[in-house]
Amino acid sequence: MESIHIQPTIENHELLKLLGGQKKKRLPKSIRKKVQTARQKLNNLIKPSVHYRILKPGAMDNDAVHLDETVEFTSPQLAKTLKNAEKIVCFVGTIGTGVEHEINRLLDKQKLADAYILDAMASVAVENMIDRFQDLMEKRFSAEERTVTLRFSPGYCDWPVTQQTKLFNIFDSKEIDVELLDSCLMKPRKSVSGVFGITPQESASYNPCRDCPTRSCESRRN
């Protein structure tokens, strides 16, 4: 297992989506002030880390991805996405517990707007961290004329969230700072897990969203 620390950035357009702003329009001045305060606070609260393993896939079929004799991810969409993968990157990333504690403190003090804004910024931060991690992997393997697929997390598309357990079994629970609860949710809450493939650059990249009729999905990747 390898670990890397990546300092996330808060992209304004991504934050705007979560705060209900309209595209290409600014948030009200009062909200912008709260965002600025939360941005400064967030930088002091987070402890970003990504733990990952790069594994060679075993057998592939139309319905499942096999990593070894004991780990099988059941998902036709994931199997199609990773069809040409020579390696599979499995990861668990988090920005730590500090921001969660602060959100709860703000809620206890009935500072609901401040808590909501900080929560939204933390969500943007953890996703940005994973985006940057995937970009680093793409750059790392580009020298070998390889590229990355879209990434999947348990609960996306047709990959059941209950298979989060199988993903966590790949890691040593004593060495990662993320706990998997019985509900298959993660603790700290601002954590992301998933997989993506490393494929030859000439391989066709499959995007399951193009075959999905749910146009309103917030996770849709065009």
Side-chain angles (χ1 to χ4, degrees):
M1 186 183 77
E2 299 181 67
S3 298
I4 186 172
H5 299 280
I6 301 172
Q7 191 69 23
T9 58
I10 309 298
E11 300 291 348
N12 288 334
H13 67 282
E14 293 295 339
L15 183 59
L16 194 64
K17 292 179 187 177
L18 295 184
L19 295 181
Q22 296 182 18
K23 191 174 182 181
K24 296 183 179 180
K25 289 190 176 181
R26 301 181 71 188
L27 292 167
K29 185 176 180 180
S30 59
I31 300 298
R32 294 203 304 272
K33 286 184 177 180
K34 288 182 180 295
V35 167
Q36 183 60 33
T37 300
R39 190 184 296 273
Q40 295 170 353
K41 183 179 290 186
L42 187 70
N43 288 334
N44 295 324
L45 290 172
I46 63 175
K47 291 185 178 180
S49 61
V50 181
H51 309 285
Y52 65 98
R53 293 188 63 190
I54 302 176
L55 305 172
K56 288 186 177 182
M60 288 278 193
D61 56 46
N62 293 331
D63 299 313
V65 176
H66 304 266
L67 293 185
D68 56 33
E69 295 180 355
T70 61
V71 179
E72 174 187 294
F73 298 143
T74 306
S75 162
Q77 297 282 32
L78 180 63
K80 194 170 182 178
T81 301
L82 299 179
K83 178 181 178 181
N84 298 315
E86 299 173 339
K87 297 178 181 179
I88 295 176
V89 180
C90 304
F91 66 86
V92 178
T94 185
I95 57 173
T97 59
V99 66
E100 250 178 79
H101 293 158
E102 178 60 14
I103 290 169
N104 290 333
R105 186 187 72 82
L106 291 170
L107 289 173
D108 289 341
K109 290 192 171 186
Q110 296 298 305
K111 294 185 177 181
L112 304 185
D114 293 337
Y116 180 78
I117 288 171
L118 187 60
D119 186 90
M121 294 185 76
S123 295
V124 172
V126 70
E127 289 291 342
N128 178 267
M129 178 183 69
I130 299 303
D131 285 343
R132 294 181 65 189
F133 166 67
Q134 190 169 7
D135 288 343
L136 286 173
M137 289 294 104
E138 185 169 25
K139 290 177 182 177
R140 171 175 166 178
F141 285 98
S142 64
E144 303 173 18
E145 297 186 347
R146 300 294 183 267
T147 189
V148 301
T149 68
L150 291 177
R151 68 174 181 266
F152 270 65
S153 292
Y156 283 13
C157 290
D158 61 351
W159 191 14
V161 71
T162 52
Q163 297 207 349
Q164 187 90 272
T165 304
K166 293 184 177 183
L167 179 57
F168 267 70
N169 284 341
I170 295 171
F171 298 91
D172 185 340
S173 60
K174 297 179 181 178
E175 294 185 13
I176 64 174
D177 42 8
V178 179
E179 176 187 358
L180 184 64
L181 304 178
D182 291 340
S183 62
C184 288
L185 297 178
M186 291 175 283
K187 184 179 179 180
R189 188 165 53 89
K190 298 304 180 181
S191 302
V192 177
S193 64
V195 303
F196 55 88
I198 306 297
T199 67
Q201 288 181 344
E202 65 271 14
S203 296
S205 178
Y206 174 66
N207 183 349
C209 295
R210 293 172 185 163
D211 297 332
C212 179
T214 309
R215 300 291 172 182
S216 59
C217 175
E218 292 182 0
S219 301
R220 187 175 182 84
R221 295 171 285 195
N222 295 325

